Amino acid sequence: MIGSFVFLFCSSVYADDNLSLSADSAILMEQDSGRILFEKEAHERKRIASITKIMTAILAIESNKLDEMVTVSERAEHTEGSSIYLKKGEKIKLLDLVYGLMLRSGNDAAVAIAEHVGGSVEGFVFLMNEKAARIGMTNTHFANPHGLDDHEDHYSTAYDMALLMRYAMHNETFREISGTKVYYAPDPEHDWERKWRNKNRLLTELYEYCTGGKTGYTKRAHRTLVTTASKDGENLIAVTLNASDDWNDHITMFEYGFKQYNMVGILEEGTIKAIDQKFYKNKVYLDHRIEYPLTEEEKEAVRVEYKVLKPKENWGNHPPDIVGKAIVYLGEEMIYKTPIYFDDSLIYDSSSWISLFKRLFTAYLGVNNDD
């Protein structure tokens, strides 16, 4: 069976005129579909500060080196800004560094991670930009693993950072770290453990539906924030850049998203009853269920088209695995498409029955001969 492929399309945003935010740039995205529910200057390039560390974290996690011990360098120890107070020569597990990176925004942890995973900070930055390109972050360039204002060519957009968070949230380990409120890590200098409390106040105290995120601040970028929230099966991502009141900005966006949109089943897994051509009837199916965020008004504007290939004589009893596609429209806008699969186990003719009988009979004789 050929593996399934899925296309999701971000439909038009109907911004609420009353949705007032302090942020220069902002976006609200539904995580599973990628649909943009609200945006404000979301494609404007800006400094991003420590939300950079989302990329650093996911690259560290995907390196499959989380159980390795990292030796802290002098460069890491003397990195300026927020810190988890690493010491040169100290050995610490990469997993612990990622927790220190995400919960306490340790710039020293970022450099230690970069040197261990990328061979050098510069090598790691190359990996960051390579990953950004693969994700589709077309208005992003990373120059360091922490987000400090030491490079002019370190920037992204609210939209690109939402894409990054959406990608990262598909990783179970990242989700766990991002959503951790308190973490304990060994401290070789003392008899007690380090205790790191997450700086994300939405997660720890302000918003019950928050599931994770990353804070950021520098003098030039000002306050930046990426958070996630889930309610009633709806998973949202919010990003703000240069927002003086970012906590409330995110709550405002989340409440707007949860109130205005609901996850609606637009395609069901299993046999497609709507296709009744003789060759395909009861033999074609979708391999998974799809939900999409819709307002009450939009539900009536959804329609589905099924397109299948014209059967060919040379297919015999073995047509292609994929014989068409299901296309979903919201009004006139295509929002989703996915393959239609053919179940050839449901096709039998006299020759196939005879062949099957011969194989079963041969197998039966073989078993009895062994006895």
Side-chain angles (χ1 to χ4, degrees):
M1 179 68 70
I2 297 174
S4 73
F5 57 89
V6 172
F7 295 90
L8 291 168
F9 303 86
C10 297
S11 60
S12 301
V13 177
Y14 303 96
D16 188 335
D17 293 337
N18 297 319
L19 200 59
S20 178
L21 305 178
S22 71
D24 283 353
S25 298
I27 196 168
L28 180 68
M29 179 182 287
E30 197 281 313
Q31 179 180 305
D32 299 318
S33 67
R35 185 182 186 186
I36 300 170
L37 308 185
F38 174 85
E39 63 179 330
K40 175 186 177 182
E41 304 295 336
H43 297 278
E44 293 293 318
R45 292 181 178 180
K46 293 187 179 298
R47 294 180 178 274
I48 56 174
S50 285
I51 59 175
T52 295
K53 292 165 184 164
I54 296 170
M55 177 63 85
T56 303
I58 192 62
L59 286 176
I61 292 166
E62 291 181 344
S63 73
N64 295 319
K65 297 179 179 180
L66 290 180
D67 289 330
E68 294 184 5
M69 299 302 292
V70 178
T71 302
V72 177
S73 69
E74 182 176 0
R75 181 176 182 178
E77 178 186 1
H78 292 106
T79 307
E80 65 180 33
S82 55
S83 175
I84 58 172
Y85 306 105
L86 299 173
K87 302 296 183 183
K88 178 184 176 182
E90 173 186 346
K91 295 185 183 298
I92 181 171
K93 188 178 289 188
L94 182 62
L95 176 64
D96 294 334
L97 285 175
V98 178
Y99 272 99
L101 176 85
M102 289 293 292
L103 273 64
R104 298 306 301 168
S105 204
N107 293 333
D108 49 354
V111 171
I113 290 169
E115 291 177 330
H116 188 78
V117 174
S120 66
V121 170
E122 294 72 23
F124 188 80
V125 167
F126 174 83
L127 298 178
M128 296 174 76
N129 288 308
E130 185 178 57
K131 175 66 75 172
R134 291 180 181 176
I135 293 172
M137 301 171 69
T138 57
N139 282 305
T140 297
H141 186 268
F142 294 107
N144 60 56
H146 38 61
L148 288 173
D149 290 329
D150 52 1
H151 291 86
E152 293 297 323
D153 59 343
H154 189 95
Y155 57 82
S156 188
T157 67
Y159 173 74
D160 279 9
M161 292 307 298
L163 289 182
L164 173 58
M165 193 62 169
R166 183 185 178 212
Y167 173 84
M169 287 295 285
H170 282 94
N171 186 285
E172 182 179 357
T173 301
F174 179 89
R175 291 197 306 272
E176 181 178 347
I177 295 172
S178 178
T180 297
K181 296 180 179 180
V182 179
Y183 184 75
Y184 296 88
D187 186 344
E189 300 293 323
H190 304 92
D191 294 331
W192 58 81
E193 293 179 309
R194 297 180 172 100
K195 180 181 179 181
W196 294 326
R197 185 176 298 277
N198 202 317
K199 289 185 176 184
N200 179 4
R201 291 181 59 209
L202 282 185
L203 177 70
T204 59
E205 58 182 292
L206 295 179
Y207 194 60
E208 63 177 313
Y209 302 115
C210 183
T211 57
K214 182 70 192 76
T215 61
Y217 173 80
T218 65
K219 290 182 179 179
R220 298 180 68 182
H222 303 290
R223 292 179 65 86
T224 63
L225 183 64
V226 178
T227 61
T228 55
S230 297
K231 181 182 179 183
D232 298 331
E234 187 174 347
N235 305 308
L236 303 181
I237 297 169
V239 182
T240 51
L241 304 179
N242 190 12
S244 59
D245 193 16
D246 51 6
W247 305 126
N248 284 321
D249 283 355
H250 282 235
I251 292 172
T252 297
M253 285 194 288
F254 285 141
E255 288 298 293
Y256 166 75
F258 291 137
K259 180 180 179 181
Q260 297 295 326
Y261 294 85
N262 292 301
M263 299 305 293
V264 177
I266 57 174
L267 289 172
E268 295 297 330
E269 179 181 359
T271 303
I272 304 172
K273 299 297 184 182
I275 299 178
D276 59 2
Q277 291 106 309
K278 183 178 179 180
F279 184 83
Y280 290 119
K281 188 174 182 178
N282 296 324
K283 302 183 186 73
V284 286
Y285 67 96
L286 301 177
D287 67 348
H288 61 287
R289 185 175 192 268
I290 289 297
E291 294 185 336
Y292 197 79
L294 297 170
T295 66
E296 285 299 319
E297 295 77 13
E298 289 174 335
K299 291 178 183 178
E300 300 300 322
V302 174
R303 60 186 176 88
V304 181
E305 288 186 4
Y306 298 102
K307 296 185 177 182
V308 291
L309 299 172
K310 183 178 180 180
K312 298 180 180 180
E313 291 185 6
N314 61 2
W315 284 357
N317 293 325
H318 301 285
D321 288 328
I322 296 173
V323 293
K325 56 188 175 182
I327 307 172
V328 183
Y329 293 89
L330 178 57
E332 297 303 314
E333 182 178 9
M334 181 170 60
I335 59 172
Y336 180 85
K337 68 180 177 180
T338 192
I340 293 174
Y341 291 94
F342 190 92
D343 188 350
D344 58 9
S345 67
L346 298 176
I347 285 190
Y348 299 101
D349 60 15
S350 59
S351 61
S352 62
W353 276 110
I354 293 171
S355 176
L356 176 62
F357 176 78
K358 287 181 177 179
R359 290 198 302 270
L360 292 174
F361 186 68
T362 301
Y364 171 78
L365 291 176
V367 169
N368 282 276
N369 287 337
D370 289 340
D371 289 338

